[in-house]
Amino acid sequence: MGDQGPQTTTSAHEPELREPFNPNSYKWGWRRRIGANPVTNHTYRITIGVIGFIVVAVGLAAVPLPGPGWLIVFVGLGIWATEFLWAAKLLAFARAKVAAWNDWLRPKPLWVKAIIGLLTCAFVIFVVWAMFKIGGIPGFLPAGAKDFLHQMPGLG
């Protein structure tokens, strides 16, 4: 680990990755000061690890639900990537895959994009239905929403 200088990657979508264990590799003075003391550095890295874990766990729990589940996961990976090289590599890999997906989808005709959008919408509706089937219809929903959901096949 030590004094290895910056590590770079070959993909155009991946950022330059640094070795996070070298206190001199940090751009900000406050982080270099924390990194210079082994106790505060270890405490800081554990704190970042725990915060990143909580954010990633919330994001993974939200993935099957309508909303920004994957975005939350990527934010958690970004938090981890500030301190852990493996997370920076994983985040760079994920960014490259998302960019490749966008590059593949962009030139496709509108009907292909529409089919993919409809399949995605159907998947989200199925996941929400399955969530209500397994866990029940939540009591905090308005009466009209509960009545509508009780009319759905398998939820009544």
Side-chain angles (χ1 to χ4, degrees):
M1 309 219 183
D3 195 22
Q4 292 180 349
Q7 297 179 3
T8 58
T9 57
T10 56
S11 172
H13 295 294
E14 295 180 8
E16 182 176 311
L17 303 177
R18 63 164 169 73
E19 178 60 54
F21 298 96
N22 181 358
N24 297 324
S25 70
Y26 292 106
K27 296 177 186 175
W28 303 289
W30 65 269
R31 186 59 188 100
R32 280 194 300 274
R33 285 190 299 277
I34 290 172
N37 182 331
V39 173
T40 58
N41 189 49
H42 189 67
T43 303
Y44 182 80
R45 288 171 59 84
I46 288 173
T47 302
I48 292 297
V50 169
I51 291 170
F53 177 79
I54 291 169
V55 173
V56 167
V58 167
L60 288 174
V63 164
L65 304 174
W70 283 112
L71 179 62
I72 296 170
V73 170
F74 290 142
V75 168
L77 275 176
I79 291 170
W80 275 338
T82 64
E83 288 301 311
F84 304 106
L85 187 59
W86 63 267
K89 288 180 179 180
L90 182 59
L91 184 59
F93 174 79
R95 284 179 177 167
K97 292 301 173 189
V98 168
W101 169 256
N102 286 335
D103 292 344
W104 177 82
L105 189 60
R106 191 173 295 115
K108 299 294 183 237
L110 186 58
W111 66 270
V112 172
K113 294 175 186 177
I115 289 173
I116 291 171
L118 288 172
L119 288 173
T120 302
C121 185
F123 176 73
V124 168
I125 289 170
F126 170 76
V127 168
V128 171
W129 177 86
M131 182 181 69
F132 288 149
K133 176 74 175 165
I134 294 168
I137 298 172
F140 62 82
L141 292 176
K146 285 189 216 175
D147 293 341
F148 173 75
L149 290 172
H150 282 296
Q151 294 175 3
M152 299 292 291
L155 295 181

